[in-house]
Amino acid sequence: MNKAYNLFYEKMFSDTHPITLGLFRVFVGMIMLIQFINLEEYITLGLPQSEYFIKYDFFGWVNLMSPENISSLFFTLKIASLFFILGVFYRIASILLFLGWTYIFLLDAGHYNNHYYLYVLILFLMMFVRANKWGTISHIFNKKESVPVPLWNVWILQFQMVVVYFYGGIAKINLDWLNGYPMRYWLASKTTNSFWNDLLTSEFAVYFFSYTGLIFDLAIGFLLLYKKTRKWALIPLLLFHIGNHFLWSIGTFPYFSLAATIVFFPANDVAKWFKLKAIPPALNTNSIKNKITASLIVVYVLFQTLFPFRHLLYDGSPSWNGYGDAFSWRMMLTTKASASKFKIKIPSQNIEGYVD
């Protein structure tokens, strides 16, 4: 057991080519720039109209800034996204993106979204990984040699994506999903003509989408990790995420997931695509810094592994009561019908009643 741990530890801090991290940095920066552009109007114009905000536990102190400061924040974050893409002032840009996006995320639990939370985690990790060692402006124009990065930089991103997929699959192992709900409602709402109506409302379509989604989530992370199935996994990966984009309109998540696939491919293999020299896996395992880093990684991995199961501590189903539903990758499991009833009262005219 100790020998296996030592081998794993040595591998974690062995050198690898920085190209996959560099490409991932560019993709993440582009996704965040799109997010800031898309959300700016909602945060700067829509959210200030609210008189009541739903706060996360322990984050009730996070309040909306003035309109002027919010506008300045979005301007800063868009510039930081560009710097992040180009690899200019990378550490500063990554810290700004993490803090800025996390602030926007924490403003109101009402706009919680699983992939918004994922972006918080990814930006947190990007502050620590060395994603600025390839593909930056300075490397391109100064023609610098690629500087190796520790393999754990790539592994931690792989781990995070596998968690998202696998836990999303675990959450679908419930009676509702296995019986075709809420997929049955969603497909029925997508009908446009008689042909598609017959196809999408059929029992075959309901169970096909439900069970392929379940199998995909449970398997795809491991198929990407395993060398012999990695390339073949790209086929269901493309079909799944492109299909999700057109069927459900779930924002940037499908494109982010496709972009994140790059970290599963061996960096030296990707370097060959660009006709770059491979980097031999030299070992750097003897420093105190590495031991501290390994300990922190273990803490992060344990948290991400255990926290999604916290709903087991509560009575009832999280799909109904919401306890433990967030931050657990319980994605697209429920459909909710909301209704509002408005009462109008005008004392001066002795008018009181409900709006039809």
Side-chain angles (χ1 to χ4, degrees):
M1 188 71 178
N2 189 51
K3 183 179 179 180
Y5 171 79
N6 289 335
L7 288 172
F8 182 81
Y9 178 78
E10 289 178 1
K11 185 73 173 175
M12 183 188 302
F13 289 97
S14 63
D15 289 339
T16 189
H17 202 287
I19 189 169
T20 53
L21 278 181
L23 289 170
F24 185 67
R25 185 200 76 244
V26 173
F27 295 144
V28 170
M30 293 171 64
I31 292 293
M32 295 315 302
L33 181 59
I34 293 170
Q35 285 291 155
F36 293 132
I37 292 172
N38 290 343
L39 281 177
E40 184 171 11
E41 183 176 349
Y42 163 65
I43 299 295
T44 58
L45 299 178
L47 208 57
Q49 305 303 316
S50 302
E51 294 187 10
Y52 178 78
F53 292 82
I54 307 170
K55 298 296 186 180
Y56 290 100
D57 292 342
F58 312 113
F59 292 97
W61 50 272
V62 180
N63 297 311
L64 190 65
M65 299 178 185
S66 67
E68 297 79 13
N69 289 337
I70 281 287
S71 296
S72 298
L73 174 65
F74 271 92
F75 176 78
T76 302
L77 292 175
K78 284 185 278 189
I79 296 299
S81 297
L82 292 174
F83 281 3
F84 189 85
I85 293 169
L86 299 174
V88 179
F89 303 119
Y90 169 73
R91 293 299 178 190
I92 296 174
S94 61
I95 292 171
L96 286 174
L97 289 180
F98 169 70
L99 294 177
W101 179 256
T102 303
Y103 167 75
I104 292 169
F105 175 79
L106 293 173
L107 280 174
D108 195 304
H111 60 231
Y112 173 84
N113 189 304
N114 281 290
H115 66 263
Y116 287 1
Y117 170 53
L118 173 60
Y119 296 166
V120 169
L121 297 178
I122 292 296
L123 291 173
F124 172 76
L125 295 175
M126 294 302 283
M127 292 192 298
F128 302 102
V129 301
R130 301 171 66 185
N132 61 330
K133 300 303 179 184
W134 183 89
T136 67
I137 288 295
S138 61
H139 283 87
I140 293 172
F141 286 99
N142 296 331
K143 297 182 179 180
K144 291 183 178 179
E145 290 290 330
S146 298
V147 177
V149 296
L151 189 56
W152 73 261
N153 284 203
V154 178
W155 279 4
I156 195 67
L157 296 171
Q158 292 177 347
F159 164 79
Q160 188 62 73
M161 292 306 300
V162 171
V163 164
V164 174
Y165 285 125
F166 186 66
Y167 279 62
I170 290 176
K172 290 180 175 65
I173 306 176
N174 65 73
L175 284 178
D176 287 332
W177 189 269
L178 297 176
N179 284 308
Y181 295 97
M183 186 64 69
R184 185 171 280 105
Y185 299 130
W186 296 342
L187 292 177
S189 69
K190 294 295 178 182
T191 56
T192 55
N193 55 51
S194 58
F195 171 76
W196 287 111
N197 183 71
D198 293 339
L199 179 62
L200 291 178
T201 57
S202 67
E203 286 298 287
F204 171 78
V206 169
Y207 284 102
F208 175 80
F209 281 103
S210 295
Y211 279 81
T212 53
L214 168 62
I215 295 170
F216 175 88
D217 282 344
L218 289 175
I220 194 64
F222 301 104
L223 293 176
L224 286 170
L225 287 172
Y226 186 47
K227 181 179 179 180
K228 293 184 178 180
T229 56
R230 187 175 296 125
K231 292 181 180 179
W232 295 106
L234 292 177
I235 298 173
L237 199 76
L238 285 167
L239 292 173
F240 181 83
H241 287 301
I242 293 175
N244 276 345
H245 170 75
F246 288 104
L247 268 177
W248 315 122
S249 300
I250 52 177
T252 57
F253 178 64
Y255 296 104
F256 171 82
S257 300
L258 289 174
T261 307
I262 193 64
V263 300
F264 288 92
F265 284 83
N268 280 333
D269 290 352
V270 177
K272 292 177 183 178
W273 303 347
F274 291 81
K275 297 182 179 179
L276 300 173
K277 293 181 180 179
I279 291 180
L283 301 180
N284 302 286
T285 61
N286 295 322
S287 72
I288 297 296
K289 179 182 176 182
N290 285 353
K291 293 180 181 178
I292 295 173
T293 300
S295 299
L296 294 175
I297 290 173
V298 168
V299 172
Y300 183 85
V301 167
L302 285 175
F303 178 81
Q304 291 298 325
T305 302
L306 298 176
F307 194 64
F309 287 123
R310 73 189 189 284
H311 66 273
L312 299 176
L313 301 175
Y314 311 118
D315 294 329
S317 168
S319 294
W320 285 95
N321 58 32
Y323 299 156
D325 190 61
F327 312 106
S328 301
W329 315 117
R330 297 178 54 80
M331 299 174 285
M332 299 185 71
L333 292 179
T334 60
T335 187
K336 299 177 182 179
S338 302
S340 300
K341 196 173 185 179
F342 295 92
K343 185 176 184 180
I344 303 298
K345 186 174 183 180
I346 308 176
S348 62
Q349 300 179 34
N350 197 30
I351 295 175
E352 181 175 333
Y354 291 95
V355 176
D356 186 356

